[in-house]
Amino acid sequence: MNAERLLQHYEKIADAPDAIARLRRFILDLAVRGKLVPQDSGDEPACQLLAKMRKERQRQVELGTLRRATVIEFGADHVFQFEEPKGWCWVTANDVWEFENGDRSKNYPSRDHFISDGVPFVNAGHLMNERVSFDGMNYISEEKFNNLSGGKLRKGDQIYCLRGSLGKHAVYSFDRPAAIASSLVILRPMLSESVPFLKLYLSSDIAFSMLKRYDNGTAQPNLSSANLKLFEIPLPPLAEQYRIVAKVDELMALCDELEAARTEREAKRDRLAASSVARLNNPDPETFRDDARFALDALQALTARPNQIKQLRQTILNLAVRGKLVPQDPSAEPAEELLKRIAAERDSLVRQKEIRRDAPLEPVSARDCPHVIPSSWTWGRVGDAVLFTQYGTSQKSHVSQSGVPVLTMGNIQDGSVIWGNDKRIPESSDDLPALYLKKFDLLYNRTNSAELVGKTGIYLGQSEARTFASYLIRLRPSLSYSDPLYLNVAMNAPCFRETQIVPFIKKQTGQANVSGSALKNMLIPLPPLAEQHRIVAKVDDLMAICDQLETGLTSADETRKKLLDALLAEALALVETAALQEAAE
């Protein structure tokens, strides 16, 4: 598994989402299995290295610097994760480290003991990228440190996290004294020369597989020092450890280069995508046609991640409500006439006493208009563009097999109204039949979190079959003089949210609210009716392309993952074959 071979493989799976991370894990796995560098029969066997570690422990016990520890042996029937290479031996963590827990007595430092500067008090959050970070470090006084019964760090100690961020680890490489929190344990190596290899081991999948053996199954992952002492470690000869660490460093540096190249490649793609989207969202009349053609031709190249497709969807909606998505028809009746016809239809409903007459809304002034629209379009207030608005039912709903389903804010998703809610109210409710939904009603969410309040969806289900909750507002469009699907597009456009919803959000008791009164006064751009239909058709076509792009991304990612699996398996097979040939020779 040399650098050239790795490069050859990488070119085939470069855009797999986790390619580099998996390559790093694969390298570590080969390293701790003895498959990354060849064995040398002239190396001192690892069993002699183990004897040196035990001798060093005994020496320190006799000096009084260590307590006598029980030797842990593997049982005769113990099954190891793999057969150790020639010259290696399996050892326990108890053999290679002395364990020192943090102080857990009444002397344990609390927040009240922290000071602005002093002796570092290291917790799991300070273990960053296998190093101890002093960002946000807590400090205790020297007096407090001196009173601790354990958990005092020395330069060269390894630190391991036993709770919470289980398995995080770092080497303490500083001369200054420090202490550890009770969630950590100090792993003090019997021979400092083995620290670089042991660091690789703790980062490997082999070590993480050991964690699963001692998983307590609770919501808060927990491991004891006694569990950790039982970890099985594949120990190479010391000379081979050096060769392994050097090869890992070489390959990880190569991974760093590949990662930097990928980051730069994605950054260029992001800049190009952002530039194209910006030109479309702020169109220049002289260059818009060329900008739009470039964006469409480059769609596949510009969209490599789901968030880029989301930006593309939002751009399509913005173009739709600016009159940039389909051509205008000079012979079309101006949209102002639609508002007059909707008003006449509303008056008819009032005379028939089907709805109440609302106070007239303020006329739209030129300075209120959020952006430029074609001359045949008009700006109207939402309350004038629909027949009426109405709050939902306040009646308590219950999970039931019978009754009328009540749609809630969770049923509005991505501009659509979905159903499946088990909560219902009786058919005999006083709110019915007045609050039955009809096909093409719009539902507006007036209360939610700040980022979700104001979301709107169109109901395309069966009429007279469902109702809606009080924190939703129903908008009943005119089916004769408006296209409800266009109104839904317009109310879901990012520019509508930015200019008509966000400025009116009010926060109350942890929730955000945009009132029904504010909703009726919001401004919406209205094209002639025939153009509304054409816009909806074009939006549907372009959203279908976005769907295809998303499906293509998912399929491509799955293909790359499968190819990556195959290539790593092939690489491992090549290593195995080389090892067998070497053994035969």
Side-chain angles (χ1 to χ4, degrees), residues 563-577:
L563 181 57
L564 179 59
D565 288 340
L567 290 172
L568 294 181
E570 175 195 341
L572 182 60
L574 289 171
V575 172
E576 295 278 10
T577 301

Side-chain angles (χ1 to χ4, degrees), residues 305-324:
R305 296 193 308 276
N307 68 311
Q308 292 171 330
I309 296 178
K310 181 180 179 180
Q311 292 174 355
L312 183 60
R313 291 184 190 276
Q314 292 175 334
T315 300
I316 291 168
L317 296 180
N318 272 345
L319 291 174
V321 298
R322 291 174 184 267
K324 298 292 184 181

Side-chain angles (χ1 to χ4, degrees), residues 164-331:
S165 302
L166 195 62
K168 282 181 71 174
H169 63 95
V171 175
Y172 189 72
S173 56
F174 305 95
D175 291 316
R176 63 190 298 184
I180 60 167
S182 60
S183 61
L184 307 177
V185 63
I186 294 172
L187 308 180
R188 188 158 289 138
M190 286 295 99
L191 291 179
S192 59
E193 295 86 347
S194 287
V195 167
F197 176 81
L198 294 175
K199 178 182 172 184
L200 297 183
Y201 165 77
L202 290 177
S203 298
S204 70
D205 288 346
I206 299 297
F208 279 103
S209 68
M210 294 298 300
L211 287 177
K212 297 178 182 177
R213 298 189 183 185
Y214 302 103
D215 185 356
N216 58 11
T218 63
Q220 177 75 1
N222 203 327
L223 188 73
S224 69
S225 293
N227 296 145
L228 186 55
K229 289 179 180 181
L230 298 175
F231 273 31
E232 56 189 37
I233 300 175
L235 188 69
L238 189 57
E240 188 173 345
Q241 290 183 33
Y242 294 154
R243 296 197 299 274
I244 289 172
V245 171
K247 177 57 74 173
V248 168
D249 287 346
E250 174 192 339
L251 293 176
M252 290 301 178
L254 177 61
C255 287
D256 291 342
E257 293 176 12
L258 295 172
E259 193 163 37
R262 174 173 174 162
T263 299
E264 177 60 23
R265 185 172 65 250
E266 290 186 350
K268 288 180 180 178
R269 182 187 286 135
D270 286 346
R271 288 194 294 270
L272 183 58
S275 175
S276 299
V277 167
R279 287 195 183 96
L280 296 179
N281 281 327
N282 299 283
D284 181 334
E286 294 184 2
T287 64
F288 175 75
R289 188 177 298 277
D290 290 338
D291 292 340
R293 184 180 295 111
F294 172 81
L296 288 171
D297 291 343
L299 268 181
Q300 193 162 1
L302 293 177
T303 51
R305 296 193 308 276
N307 68 311
Q308 292 171 330
I309 296 178
K310 181 180 179 180
Q311 292 174 355
L312 183 60
R313 291 184 190 276
Q314 292 175 334
T315 300
I316 291 168
L317 296 180
N318 272 345
L319 291 174
V321 298
R322 291 174 184 267
K324 298 292 184 181
L325 212 53
V326 299
Q328 281 72 53
D329 182 354
S331 65

Side-chain angles (χ1 to χ4, degrees), residues 546-566:
C546 290
D547 292 340
Q548 293 171 8
L549 286 172
E550 280 186 330
T551 301
L553 283 183
T554 301
S555 176
D557 283 346
E558 290 176 354
T559 299
R560 291 187 189 104
K561 287 179 181 178
K562 290 179 181 177
L563 181 57
L564 179 59
D565 288 340

